[in-house]
Amino acid sequence: MHAFHQTLLPSSSIHHSLFLPNFTPSTIYPLPKPIDDTAPDVKVIGNLIVAGGENLRVFEIREFQQYPILQNGIVNGEGDEEMLEEGEERLGDGFFDDGNSKRDPVKLETRRKLHLLAQYDLNGTVTGLSGLRTIESSVDGLDRLLVSFEHAKMALLEWSRGSISTVSLHTYERCSQMVSGDVQTYVPMLRTDPLSRLAVLSLPEDSLAVLPVLQEQLELDLMEGYARDVPYSPSFVLSLSDVSPALKNLQDLLFLPGFHSPTLALLYSPLHTFSGRYQSIKDNYCLEIRTIDLSSGGTYPLLTSVTGLPSDSLYLVACPSELGGVVIVTSTGLVHIDQSGRVVGTSVNAWWSYATALKTDHESESRKISLEGSKCLFVNGRDMLLILQNGDTHQVRFEMDGRNVGQIKIDESTSTVPPPSSVVIAGDKALFVGSAEGDSLLAKINEDREVAVDGEGVKEEKVKDDMEVDWDEDLYGDMNDPSNAGLVNGHQKEATGPAKISVSTYDVLEGVGKIMDIEFGIAATDQGTRTYPQLVAISGGSKRSTLNVFRRGIPITKRRRFNELSSSEAVWFLPIDRPSAQKYKDIRDSEQTTMLFSTERNATRIFALSTKANPEQIGRIDGRTLNAAPFFQRSCVMHVTPSEVTLLDNNGRPIQVICPKSDLAPIMSASISDPYVVIRRKDGNVSFFVGDTVARTVSEGSIGGEGSETPKCQAIEVFSDTTGIYRTFEPSRAADTIQLDGQASTSRSNAIKHGQQSRMQLTQQQIKRLQEQEPAISVDAPSMETAMNASRGTQWLSLLTDRGELQIRSLPDLKVVLQSDGLGSSAPTFTDDLIDGVLKDDEIEDQVVQMAFCPIGKGTVRPHLLALHHSGRLNAYEAQPRFTVDSSTQTRRSLAVRFRKVHTQLLPISGGSTKLPYTIIPFDEIEGIIGAFITGEKPHWIVSSDAHPLRTYALKQAAMSFGKTTHLGGKGEYFIRIEDGSFICYLPPTLNTDFAIPCDRYDMDRVYTSIAFDPTSAHYVGAASIEVPFQAYDEEGEIQIGPEGENFIPPTNQRSTLELFSQGSDPWRVIDGYDFDQNEEVLCLESVTLESPGGEGGYRDFIAVGTGFNFGEDRATRGNTYIFEIVETVGKGKNTGSGWILKLRAKDPARNPVSAISHINGYLLNSNGPKLYVKGFDDDQQLMGLAFLDVQIYVTSIKVFKNFILVSDLYKNFWFIALQEDPYKLTTISKDLQPVSPVVTDFLVHESQMTFVSNDREGNMRMLDFDPTDPDSLNGERVLLRTEYHTGAPVTTSKVIARRKTAEEEYAPQTQIIYATADGALTTLVSVKSARFKRLQLVSDQLVRNAQHIAGLNPKAFRTVQNDLLPKPLSKGILDGTLLSYFALQPLNRQKEMMRQIGTDAVTVASDIAALGGFW
C-alpha cells in the first residue's frame, strides 16, 4: 500500500528568533503612505525572523503613533461629542486663558506591530539563527541571515527581489565527527561574531565548524584558488582538543563583544558528575575565554581561565561592553566572571549550597525560584531581564564597586510573559518572547528611573521665601518649571537613578503550541441539522492550556431567512444615498446598504432595503445583471447587462443609456470604479467609459490612444487603491540609475569603503546615501475628480490580453506603467519586466476567466490580485512595494510594485465543466475582515491578517450568491444563498482566522492533558493537571522528611482531576468534576462503548480513565481504571436545576500504571504495566477480567480495528494481536522485532488492504505489512518493513477516521489518520491508489531536481531515515505533500516541461493532489 502525507495545520511553535535591523529594504526606505490622512505614519524599525521545526517566517516590526487605549477599550481622542475639524490641532489652554478649556493635550503613545512578509516550509529542521553583515552589506545596506539545520548544515541567506534567496550552503554531515561521533547527545549551537568576522557551529566530539566571513576588500583580493564572488573564506573543522586537551564536554559557547579580534567564551566540564556524586565531585565546570586569530595560520590565545564553577551550570550570557565579562546561569543562581577572572555570584534558592561550594551572596535566596528553562538578556548596560520557565520576569541588577561588579541583586517579579523558548531584543526598548507552547509576545521594555542631578540622587524641592532671589534662576529659569523642559542651568535634567524594568504588550503573535491531545466531536448547535465534525486540540503545557476547536471551513451562522432571494443567482447590496433610507450611527454612510439588485434567470429585481422583515421591491429590469455599483458619489447606480450599460437614479429609474443595445457581441464582464466603467465583450473587444462628475454624464473614451488599437482581452478590471502601494517610478531617475550601473565598480568600491565604519548596523550617513539612490516616485497633479473623491485613492486600469500580457495603466491619463506576462504564465513573481513588449507566440492553454484587484487583511490591509483560470486554478498575488529599480532600459514610468504569488489552489470542477461557475466577490469589513468570497460549486473565503499569510477556507455547501450587507444594523452581516436556502448570516465573534484551519480558541485557567467526547450527551470531558507539593512516602506509608529551610524550593507533583465541560451558547465551562487521589495522574482518557443491559442494542457509551501514582524513586507505583458515565439530572426544589454530571460507575485498582485504554466488541482493553487485559463491564457496576497477555515494559497506545489490536511499547516496538471470544483469549499474530520506540501505531485501510503505520520519538514514520506468504516474515511471526519516512517533529497523539460510506457500500472503504505533533502541527496520512502514486512519484522526482528549494536543502534527503540495518533507505512508499505543493507554485511553462517528460498534464496532477486532501 502507498500513502500520501501532508500538513493540515503548519507548525506555529517558535524555537528560535532573531532581530535584524536591516534585513529587508523596507527598513531603509520609507513605506508608501495610505491615502487616508487620518492613518498614522508607519515606519519599519527592523525585521524579526522566527523559526520552529521546518517553518521560517520573516516579519517587519512596524512602529506608529496612536492615542492611548483607555480601560473601557475606547481609544482616547475618539468618541467625543465635539470632534476636531480637519487640520485642527489638539490643544489645551490657549495663550489667553478664557477659563473654558475643552480638553488637555493627549499624548500619543508609540505602538509596534508585527507584519508578515514571507513564510517558508524548509526541507530541514532549524537548529539556530544568527545575523551577519558581509562585504556586500556595505553596498545594499542589508543584513544577511545564517541558519543552521539538523545534521550539521549552515545556509547563508539574503533578501532579494521580495523573497529569500540562498547565497551558500555549508554541510558537515560527512565529517568524521558526524559519522562516528555521539550524535544522540549532540546539541547544535550556532554563534556569530558581533562584528560578523566569524561564524561557528558546534559539532559532536567537542568540535567546531568555523566559517570565516570577509569584511574587507583587501581580504577578497588576496584570496587565491577560491571564487572571488563569495563573501567568505573556506570553512574548516576545529577540534577543541587540539586547542586544549582539557576542553571536553562543551556545555555552551558564545562570542563576547568589545574585542578587537573574535573572542569566544567556552563553558565545559572535564569531569562528569550528578547530584548523587556531589560529595566526591562538585564544581566541575570551567570557563575559558580565547581569542581566535586566523591571520597567522590559526592560533587561539587564552585570555581568561576559571575553574571550580557550579555543577549545575546551564548556559552563558554575554555582558555588554560597558559591563564586560560573562554571566553563567545555573539552576540555583547567577555567576558573573569578568575578563580578569573575578567571580561574583548570587543564589536564588537554598539549594545553592548543595550544588556548589562557591561562596556568594545569599540576599536573593528569598526569591525561591528555579532557573531551569529560563532565558536571560541585557536590556541596558547594567540591568538584565530574567524570564523563568513559567513566564515570570525578574530584573537582575549589577551594582558596581568601582569598575568591577560588586553585587548582583534580583528583584521581585514585575510582569508575566508566555513561557519562553527564545528571547531576543527587538529594537530599541523592545523584546520578543517566542514560545513553543502557544502565543508569542512582542513586548515593550519600560524603564522607570528616578531623576537625579549630578549623580547626587533625587533632589527634594525646596520652598523659597518670597524675598529670596536666585540670580541663576533669574537668568536660566526655574529648574522645577515644567515649561523649561527639564533644563537645569542650561543642561538637561537626566534620569540617572536606578532603573525599574518591566514589560508591557506591543503585539501578540498567535500560535497553537505543543498539542497534548486531540478529539473529534460534534458541536451541540449542529445536532439535528447538518452535522460537521470538529476537532478539539489541547495545546500548552507548563502554565495553562488553550482549547482549539478546529473546523474544516468557516461555519455558517444564520441570523434570519431572506425568502425574497430564494432563487437569486447574484446579488449586489449597494450603499446608495437615498433620503428615505434607514441611518445607523455606528455605520459610515459609505457602508450603509440601501439598495439591492438581485438577478434571477433573465431578469433583475431592485429592492429598497430597510429594517423591515420584507424588503420593498421598487423596480424590475429585463436581462441578467453582470455588475452594478455606486456612481457619482453614491447618488446613482451604474448597471451593466449583457446587452447595454445604463445609469440609474437612486430609485432604479434610467437616467442615461451609456451603451445601447446593438448587434455587437454580448457583454461578458464589466468592472466599475466611480467614475470609470470598462466592459469586455465575447469577442474580446473592450470599451472604456468615463464619467464627468460636474456634468453628471458618461462618455466613451479610448484606451489605445491615437494611432493604436486596443488589444483583445480575456479579462479586464478597473480598481482603486487606498493603501498607497500602487505608485510609479519617474522615468528620468530610472535612466539615472542605469547610468550609475555603468559605474558599478566605482560605486561599489566607495560603498564598501564607507561601509567599514559600521559592520553590524547602518549609520545615518549610509542610510541617507541609500535613500538618495532610491528612484523618484511620481507625483501626479491633483485633478478636480481626485479632489472631489480624495478618499477613493488612486485609480488604475488593468487589461489581460488574449496573448497573456498584463497591462496596468494609470488613470486618468491611461499611460502604461506595467507590462508583464507573469500573470498568464502563473509566474511566482512578476514586475514591470516586459520591457520590449515582445511575447512568445505560444498558445495560452489555461486562460484567465476573472481577475480581481482587491485589498485583503485585518487591521492593515494588503492589496492582492486574484486570478481565476478556466481550469479552476486560483492564483493569489500580493502587491508588495518596490524600493529600487531592477536593471532595465525603459524610459517610461514604471509601477513600483512587485506581485508575489502567496497562494495557489485548484478549485474542483465536476465533469470538466462547472455545474455552478466560480465568481470572485470582494467584500469590505465583515467583523473587521476585508477579503473576498468565491461563489460556486465549492465556495471559499479568502482572508488574511497582519502577522499571518493569506488563507482560503472552504464551505461544505455550494453557494449561488453572496453579498455583504448592513441594512439590519450589523457590521458583520452578509447574505448567502446555499443549498439550505437564502439567509442573512454573521461571522461568530469567537472565530479565529489566523491559522490554516479556522478555529475558536478558549484560554483555560488550568493545564489539561487529555480530552474525550461522549457522543450520547454531546459533552467533552477533560483531564486537568494541577501542580501540588510532592510528598514522599516509604514502603510502609510513612512520610519522608527532606531538607528543611525557609528558602528551599519544595518539590512538586501533578495531581489530576476529571472535568465535564458545558456546551451550547456558553461552552467550555466546567460544570462538574471528579478529584483523584494525592499523587494520582491521568495517563489515558477515552470514550468507550461497553456492553450494558440498559443500553439501546445492549451497548452504552462511557468514559474510561487510566491513572498512575507517582510516589518517587523509592516506592513502587500503581494505578486505577475508572468508568464514568455522563448522565442528565432533573432538579428538585427551588435552588437546584437540571444539568449534566459525571457519575462514577466503577473503579478497578491495578498493581501498575494504566497507560493506555481502548475498547473492542463491547469489552474494555487496558494496559496494566507489562500486561494487557480484556475486561467486561458486569451489570454497570464492576470490571471483570476475561483475558490477558504479557507485553513488555510500557504500553504507549492501543488501537483497534474490527477484531484486531495494535499494541505499541515504548521500548519493544509493537504487537499485532487478535481477540478470541469463545473461549476468551488474546493471541499474538505478529510483531515488529526492530529496536524502535513507537509513540503511536495505527491501522491504515484502503478497500481490501491493510497496513500498519508506526511513529517513533525521533519523528520517523514507518509503514509495515503483515504478509505470511513472504519468506522474510518467518511464517507471519514478524511484520515486514516497507517504507520509512521522516516527518520532522515527533507525534504526540493520533486519531483514525473513516470516509463516509455511500449507499452502495456496506463498510467505509478507506481510513485517514490525523496526527498532532509537538510543534503544534496537524498532519494527515491517506492511502493512494497505485496508478496515482506512480504518477505523483514521478512529479516528486522532477520537483527535487528542477524546483528551487530554500537554503539549497534536498527534500528527498530530509525525508530519508538512516537505518543501519538496511543496505539502502526504504524511502519510496509515502508521498511528500509539502514537496508536491511546490508544483502549483511553478510557472506554467516549467509545469508543462516537467509533465512532458512524465507523459501527463498539469491539471491532472493538480487534481490528483486535490483529491488526496482527505475527508476531513
Side-chain angles (χ1 to χ4, degrees):
M1 185 186 297
H2 307 292
F4 176 75
H5 179 267
Q6 68 174 336
T7 300
L8 298 177
L9 178 70
S11 168
S12 56
S13 296
I14 295 177
H15 297 283
H16 309 279
S17 58
L18 174 68
F19 174 79
L20 292 178
N22 304 105
F23 184 63
T24 61
S26 57
T27 60
I28 301 175
Y29 307 101
L31 290 175
K33 293 185 178 181
I35 303 301
D36 188 4
D37 294 334
T38 62
D41 292 335
V42 179
K43 67 176 181 179
V44 180
I45 64 169
N47 296 109
L48 179 70
I49 297 96
V50 300
E54 301 85 47
N55 185 270
L56 182 71
R57 288 176 280 178
V58 180
F59 294 91
E60 289 176 343
I61 299 181
R62 296 190 170 185
E63 183 180 88
F64 57 93
Q65 304 284 332
Q66 74 172 20
Y67 292 108
I69 299 177
L70 304 180
Q71 292 182 355
N72 58 1
I74 300 176
V75 177
N76 200 349
E78 296 182 359
D80 299 315
E81 295 181 0
E82 299 181 5
M83 299 300 295
L84 296 177
E85 295 294 330
E86 184 177 357
E88 182 178 348
E89 295 183 358
R90 185 176 295 272
L91 301 175
D93 295 338
F95 182 81
F96 298 99
D97 187 7
D98 56 2
N100 187 23
S101 176
K102 296 181 180 180
R103 66 182 78 222
D104 291 331
V106 178
K107 184 179 179 181
L108 296 176
E109 66 176 3
T110 301
R111 301 291 302 172
R112 294 179 182 176
K113 294 193 69 175
L114 293 174
H115 184 85
L116 180 68
L117 287 182
Q119 177 173 316
Y120 305 95
D121 292 325
L122 306 177
N123 297 308
T125 303
V126 178
T127 60
L129 299 175
S130 192
L132 280 176
R133 289 188 67 83
T134 64
I135 194 170
E136 292 295 329
S137 299
S138 303
V139 179
D140 57 17
L142 300 181
D143 301 321
R144 267 60 181 174
L145 174 64
L146 189 65
V147 186
S148 64
F149 299 95
E150 196 177 19
H151 306 304
K153 299 177 182 179
M154 283 192 298
L156 184 60
L157 310 176
E158 66 180 4
W159 190 264
S160 176
R161 301 197 176 189
S163 181
I164 281 182
S165 62
T166 306
V167 178
S168 60
L169 175 65
H170 309 267
T171 62
Y172 307 94
E173 56 185 340
R174 295 186 179 180
C175 65
S176 59
Q177 288 83 357
M178 292 295 298
V179 173
S180 60
D182 185 9
V183 186
Q184 298 295 328
T185 59
Y186 164 53
V187 179
M189 292 177 284
L190 177 67
R191 304 289 187 265
T192 55
D193 175 44
L195 296 181
S196 299
R197 296 164 294 187
L198 210 63
V200 298
L201 175 67
S202 64
L203 299 176
E205 304 298 326
D206 299 315
S207 299
L208 301 177
V210 183
L211 177 65
V213 182
L214 302 179
Q215 295 294 335
E216 303 286 347
Q217 182 67 37
L218 180 61
E219 298 177 357
L220 188 62
D221 296 337
L222 293 178
M223 292 178 58
E224 297 181 0
Y226 201 66
R228 294 195 175 189
D229 57 345
V230 294
Y232 49 82
S233 300
S235 62
F236 61 93
V237 176
L238 172 64
S239 178
L240 294 180
S241 60
D242 297 336
V243 178
S244 174
L247 278 172
K248 299 178 181 178
N249 307 317
L250 186 65
Q251 177 75 8
D252 196 8
L253 77 160
L254 51 79
F255 284 94
L256 299 181
F259 287 86
H260 182 267
S261 299
T263 302
L264 201 62
L266 304 164
L267 179 66
Y268 63 97
S269 58
L271 297 175
H272 285 297
T273 187
F274 57 95
S275 57
R277 298 184 62 191
Y278 277 174
Q279 293 183 354
S280 58
I281 300 178
K282 187 188 291 189
D283 298 335
N284 59 321
Y285 273 90
C286 304
L287 176 71
E288 286 190 3
I289 300 178
R290 291 181 176 270
T291 298
I292 301 179
D293 186 6
L294 301 180
S295 60
S296 58
T299 58
Y300 314 97
L302 177 64
L303 301 183
T304 304
S305 178
V306 180
T307 60
L309 296 176
S311 307
D312 58 343
S313 299
L314 299 175
Y315 57 92
L316 299 174
V317 180
C319 298
S321 301
E322 52 266 35
L323 184 64
V326 65
V327 174
I328 301 177
V329 180
T330 73
S331 61
T332 55
L334 301 174
V335 178
H336 177 267
I337 301 176
D338 59 16
Q339 300 174 15
S340 64
R342 186 172 179 269
V343 178
V344 177
T346 186
S347 58
V348 296
N349 57 63
W351 292 105
W352 171 275
S353 58
Y354 284 80
T356 179
L358 191 66
K359 301 300 181 183
T360 185
D361 178 30
H362 298 281
E363 183 178 344
S364 300
E365 274 192 2
S366 59
R367 302 287 177 257
K368 293 194 294 185
I369 57 179
S370 177
L371 302 186
E372 284 99 343
S374 64
K375 301 292 180 181
C376 297
L377 76 169
F378 278 88
V379 295
N380 56 44
R382 297 181 182 178
D383 292 298
M384 185 173 70
L385 198 63
L386 172 64
I387 304 178
L388 303 184
Q389 187 176 17
N390 61 0
D392 293 340
T393 61
H394 295 262
Q395 179 183 353
V396 181
R397 304 175 185 269
F398 291 84
E399 297 185 352
M400 306 302 292
D401 183 10
R403 295 186 176 181
N404 301 321
V405 175
Q407 192 177 12
I408 303 176
K409 292 185 177 181
I410 301 176
D411 294 346
E412 289 284 354
S413 177
T414 56
S415 51
T416 303
V417 299
S421 61
S422 175
V423 180
V424 65
I425 292 291
D428 183 38
K429 304 300 180 184
L431 63 87
F432 177 77
V433 181
S435 178
E437 297 184 4
D439 296 344
S440 300
L441 179 68
L442 178 64
K444 177 184 179 182
I445 301 175
N446 304 305
E447 288 191 18
D448 298 329
R449 292 183 181 270
E450 298 176 354
V451 178
V453 180
D454 295 333
E456 297 179 2
V458 179
K459 297 285 188 178
E460 294 184 1
E461 183 179 356
K462 180 182 178 181
V463 180
K464 301 186 294 292
D465 188 81
D466 292 340
M467 297 298 296
E468 184 178 350
V469 177
D470 190 336
W471 298 107
D472 289 340
E473 211 171 85
D474 186 43
L475 290 172
Y476 303 110
D478 186 3
M479 62 177 290
N480 297 312
D481 189 356
S483 64
N484 290 332
L487 294 177
V488 181
N489 294 336
H491 299 282
Q492 183 73 29
K493 181 167 61 175
E494 297 181 356
T496 58
K500 295 181 180 179
I501 308 296
S502 62
V503 297
S504 57
T505 301
Y506 268 145
D507 195 11
V508 176
L509 179 60
E510 290 193 331
V512 175
K514 180 181 179 180
I515 298 179
M516 307 295 293
D517 195 13
I518 58 175
E519 178 67 304
F520 278 98
I522 298 174
T525 55
D526 286 341
Q527 291 191 348
T529 58
R530 290 178 179 266
T531 58
Y532 297 126
Q534 63 184 17
L535 179 66
V536 179
I538 299 178
S539 63
S542 64
K543 194 171 184 179
R544 60 177 60 92
S545 293
T546 301
L547 294 179
N548 306 275
V549 183
F550 295 102
R551 289 193 183 189
R552 293 305 301 270
I554 293 180
I556 300 176
T557 310
K558 305 167 185 174
R559 185 177 297 278
R560 62 177 290 267
R561 280 189 173 271
F562 207 132
N563 295 323
E564 289 76 12
L565 304 181
S566 59
S567 58
S568 67
E569 299 175 1
V571 294
W572 289 265
F573 290 85
L574 305 180
I576 305 302
D577 188 8
R578 303 183 74 246
S580 61
Q582 178 75 29
K583 302 293 184 180
Y584 297 98
K585 182 179 180 181
D586 56 343
I587 300 177
R588 296 194 302 259
D589 291 343
S590 60
E591 297 180 359
Q592 295 189 8
T593 53
T594 57
M595 292 184 68
L596 166 63
F597 285 70
S598 173
T599 290
E600 303 167 5
R601 298 180 180 88
N602 292 322
T604 299
R605 292 189 295 167
I606 306 174
F607 295 90
L609 298 176
S610 63
T611 56
K612 297 179 181 179
N614 299 321
E616 177 188 359
Q617 182 173 343
I618 59 176
R620 186 180 185 277
I621 300 176
D622 294 333
R624 182 172 53 92
T625 299
L626 297 179
N627 200 353
F631 217 72
F632 291 147
Q633 292 84 45
R634 301 186 299 107
S635 62
C636 306
V637 178
M638 183 62 67
H639 183 258
V640 182
T641 66
S643 58
E644 61 181 359
V645 180
T646 310
L647 183 66
L648 309 176
D649 65 6
N650 56 9
N651 289 317
R653 295 187 293 267
I655 299 177
Q656 177 187 358
V657 178
I658 311 301
C659 181
K661 297 181 180 179
S662 64
D663 296 334
L664 298 176
I667 302 173
M668 296 300 296
S669 62
S671 179
I672 306 170
S673 178
D674 185 14
Y676 303 105
V677 181
V678 60
I679 61 174
R680 184 184 67 87
R681 298 185 180 273
K682 190 173 183 180
D683 56 5
N685 290 324
V686 175
S687 300
F688 181 68
F689 304 92
V690 182
D692 189 340
T693 306
V694 178
R696 305 184 73 79
T697 59
V698 182
S699 60
E700 186 172 0
S702 175
I703 298 178
E706 297 182 0
S708 62
E709 296 182 357
T710 302
K712 292 188 176 183
C713 298
Q714 50 182 313
I716 46 94
E717 177 86 1
V718 57
F719 63 97
S720 61
D721 170 56
T722 59
T723 63
I725 291 179
Y726 285 90
R727 51 186 188 163
T728 57
F729 290 133
E730 286 285 357
S732 59
R733 288 299 302 269
D736 294 343
T737 304
I738 299 163
Q739 184 177 358
L740 290 174
D741 290 341
Q743 304 171 353
S745 59
T746 305
S747 301
R748 185 175 182 275
S749 301
N750 294 334
I752 293 174
K753 181 179 179 180
H754 294 297
Q756 306 305 322
Q757 300 173 5
S758 176
R759 291 180 177 175
M760 281 310 294
Q761 193 166 357
L762 287 176
T763 62
Q764 291 298 325
Q765 181 182 2
Q766 291 173 309
I767 293 178
K768 183 178 180 180
R769 174 182 60 83
L770 291 170
Q771 290 179 350
E772 289 176 351
Q773 296 176 1
E774 178 191 7
I777 301 298
S778 301
V779 179
D780 297 330
S783 62
M784 179 177 294
E785 182 66 36
T786 57
M788 296 179 64
N789 301 280
S791 61
R792 184 186 298 126
T794 58
Q795 292 180 289
W796 311 81
L797 174 64
S798 175
L799 306 173
L800 182 62
T801 66
D802 285 345
R803 300 183 62 191
E805 177 189 356
L806 175 66
Q807 294 183 6
I808 295 182
R809 299 170 180 255
S810 60
L811 294 175
D813 57 6
L814 291 172
K815 298 295 184 181
V816 177
V817 296
L818 182 140
Q819 288 179 285
S820 176
D821 60 349
L823 180 63
S825 62
S826 296
T829 61
F830 65 88
T831 59
D832 185 17
D833 48 14
L834 196 63
I835 307 305
D836 51 6
V838 178
L839 286 171
K840 296 181 180 180
D841 294 331
D842 296 342
E843 182 181 356
I844 304 298
E845 297 182 356
D846 192 10
Q847 290 193 347
V848 175
V849 296
Q850 185 185 1
M851 64 178 181
F853 290 80
C854 59
I856 300 176
K858 184 169 58 176
T860 303
V861 296
R862 314 172 193 229
H864 285 76
L865 166 58
L866 305 179
L868 181 61
H869 292 254
H870 182 267
S871 64
R873 180 188 291 108
L874 174 67
N875 290 330
Y877 289 86
E878 180 184 347
Q880 299 177 341
R882 281 197 299 158
F883 303 98
T884 57
V885 174
D886 300 334
S887 58
S888 61
T889 58
Q890 63 190 14
T891 56
R892 58 168 173 80
R893 289 192 304 163
S894 175
L895 189 66
V897 170
R898 172 177 283 104
F899 290 94
R900 178 174 173 267
K901 188 190 294 186
V902 294
H903 179 79
T904 182
Q905 73 178 92
L906 185 68
L907 301 178
I909 298 178
S910 300
S913 62
T914 55
K915 299 178 181 177
L916 189 62
Y918 292 107
T919 305
I920 302 174
I921 304 175
F923 63 83
D924 183 31
E925 284 285 337
I926 298 181
E927 289 294 339
I929 299 174
I930 300 174
F933 186 87
I934 301 179
T935 60
E937 184 179 352
K938 294 294 183 182
H940 283 75
W941 293 83
I942 304 177
V943 297
S944 179
S945 61
D946 288 349
H948 298 273
L950 184 137
R951 312 287 193 189
T952 61
Y953 302 131
L955 263 67
K956 296 292 184 180
Q957 304 182 52
M960 297 74 173
S961 55
F962 174 89
K964 187 242 181 174
T965 179
T966 59
H967 73 278
L968 296 180
K971 289 185 177 181
E973 296 177 345
Y974 62 93
F975 165 81
I976 188 170
R977 181 190 164 212
I978 53 178
E979 297 173 2
D980 292 344
S982 300
F983 302 93
I984 297 293
C985 307
Y986 65 95
L987 293 179
T990 59
L991 181 68
N992 188 304
T993 57
D994 290 336
F995 303 110
I997 306 176
C999 69
D1000 296 335
R1001 307 192 73 200
Y1002 301 90
D1003 294 327
M1004 311 302 288
D1005 296 332
R1006 294 183 177 180
V1007 175
Y1008 291 88
T1009 57
S1010 303
I1011 192 169
F1013 177 75
D1014 180 59
T1016 303
S1017 63
H1019 280 72
Y1020 287 89
V1021 178
S1025 180
I1026 304 173
E1027 188 174 4
V1028 296
F1030 173 75
Q1031 187 61 61
Y1033 299 89
D1034 57 15
E1035 292 295 337
E1036 287 75 22
E1038 298 293 334
I1039 297 177
Q1040 294 181 337
I1041 306 299
E1044 295 181 353
E1046 60 178 358
N1047 293 330
F1048 282 100
I1049 300 177
T1052 58
N1053 193 18
Q1054 304 299 319
R1055 178 182 179 182
S1056 295
T1057 62
L1058 194 65
E1059 298 180 352
L1060 177 64
F1061 298 112
S1062 63
Q1063 289 294 292
S1065 60
D1066 185 19
W1068 306 108
R1069 178 175 50 86
V1070 178
I1071 57 178
D1072 195 20
Y1074 180 86
D1075 293 332
F1076 295 100
D1077 293 339
Q1078 183 75 20
N1079 297 357
E1080 189 175 11
E1081 299 181 50
V1082 172
L1083 302 180
C1084 53
L1085 174 65
E1086 292 288 341
S1087 175
V1088 296
T1089 301
L1090 304 179
E1091 289 184 348
S1092 176
E1096 183 178 355
Y1099 296 92
R1100 208 157 62 188
D1101 294 322
F1102 297 91
I1103 300 296
V1105 182
T1107 67
F1109 288 83
N1110 183 6
F1111 293 120
E1113 300 177 354
D1114 300 328
R1115 185 180 177 188
T1117 183
R1118 55 183 176 86
N1120 288 310
T1121 302
Y1122 296 86
I1123 302 296
F1124 291 92
E1125 185 180 8
I1126 302 176
V1127 297
E1128 187 175 12
T1129 61
V1130 179
K1132 296 180 180 180
K1134 297 182 180 180
N1135 298 327
T1136 60
S1138 302
W1140 297 88
I1141 63 171
L1142 278 171
K1143 185 174 183 180
L1144 179 63
R1145 290 297 187 182
K1147 177 181 178 180
D1148 185 31
R1151 294 183 179 181
N1152 298 284
V1154 181
S1155 58
I1157 204 165
S1158 186
H1159 63 108
I1160 180 172
N1161 300 338
Y1163 304 114
L1164 183 71
L1165 276 172
N1166 72 280
S1167 66
N1168 186 347
K1171 293 182 181 295
L1172 178 68
Y1173 284 94
V1174 179
K1175 297 182 179 181
F1177 198 28
D1178 187 16
D1179 294 332
D1180 295 347
Q1181 295 181 356
Q1182 61 179 351
L1183 293 172
M1184 295 185 58
L1186 302 178
F1188 75 95
L1189 180 71
D1190 288 324
V1191 288
Q1192 294 295 327
I1193 300 175
Y1194 187 85
V1195 176
T1196 57
S1197 69
I1198 301 175
K1199 297 299 174 70
V1200 176
F1201 177 71
K1202 294 186 176 180
N1203 209 42
F1204 301 110
I1205 307 169
L1206 275 182
V1207 179
S1208 60
D1209 188 274
L1210 189 61
Y1211 297 98
K1212 297 295 182 179
N1213 221 312
F1214 71 89
W1215 288 261
F1216 181 38
I1217 303 170
L1219 172 64
Q1220 174 183 321
E1221 296 191 27
D1222 190 16
Y1224 293 104
K1225 183 180 179 182
L1226 288 172
T1227 304
T1228 301
I1229 301 176
S1230 183
K1231 64 177 62 176
D1232 188 6
L1233 303 179
Q1234 294 191 14
V1236 179
S1237 300
V1239 177
V1240 292
T1241 306
D1242 297 282
F1243 293 96
L1244 184 63
V1245 179
H1246 184 80
E1247 296 179 349
S1248 60
Q1249 295 180 327
M1250 180 183 67
T1251 189
F1252 313 130
V1253 183
S1254 172
N1255 289 267
D1256 62 17
R1257 291 187 295 178
E1258 285 75 31
N1260 298 325
M1261 179 184 293
R1262 305 163 71 243
M1263 290 183 63
L1264 307 100
D1265 287 341
F1266 172 67
D1267 187 5
T1269 61
D1270 195 308
D1272 295 335
S1273 67
L1274 303 180
N1275 294 326
E1277 293 185 5
R1278 54 174 290 188
V1279 292
L1280 301 175
L1281 178 64
R1282 300 301 189 189
T1283 304
E1284 290 183 306
Y1285 176 88
H1286 182 65
T1287 60
V1291 171
T1292 56
T1293 184
S1294 66
K1295 292 292 178 182
V1296 178
I1297 57 177
R1299 177 172 67 82
R1300 296 191 179 190
K1301 62 181 182 180
T1302 62
E1304 295 79 14
E1305 296 172 339
E1306 184 178 359
Y1307 298 101
Q1310 187 180 9
T1311 62
Q1312 177 184 2
I1313 308 176
I1314 307 294
Y1315 292 107
T1317 70
D1319 279 343
L1322 291 175
T1323 62
T1324 181
L1325 188 75
V1326 295
S1327 58
V1328 184
K1329 294 182 179 180
S1330 179
R1332 179 174 288 169
F1333 174 83
K1334 294 177 180 178
R1335 184 163 53 244
L1336 293 180
Q1337 184 65 54
L1338 293 175
V1339 176
S1340 298
D1341 296 339
Q1342 289 286 335
L1343 290 172
V1344 170
R1345 292 191 295 265
N1346 299 324
Q1348 293 184 357
H1349 305 289
I1350 300 297
L1353 299 172
N1354 188 346
K1356 186 176 181 180
F1358 173 61
R1359 299 301 184 184
T1360 301
V1361 178
Q1362 183 179 359
N1363 192 338
D1364 297 334
L1365 301 178
L1366 299 175
K1368 67 176 182 178
L1370 298 175
S1371 57
K1372 292 186 178 180
I1374 299 179
L1375 295 171
D1376 184 3
T1378 303
L1379 175 62
L1380 288 172
S1381 65
Y1382 294 160
F1383 176 78
L1385 299 175
Q1386 307 301 312
L1388 289 182
N1389 54 354
R1390 187 177 299 174
Q1391 293 183 14
K1392 185 177 180 180
E1393 177 62 24
M1394 289 191 294
M1395 296 306 98
R1396 184 187 61 81
Q1397 300 179 22
I1398 297 174
T1400 183
D1401 60 275
V1403 176
T1404 302
V1405 173
S1407 302
D1408 288 341
I1409 298 174
L1412 295 175
F1415 20 93
W1416 180 80

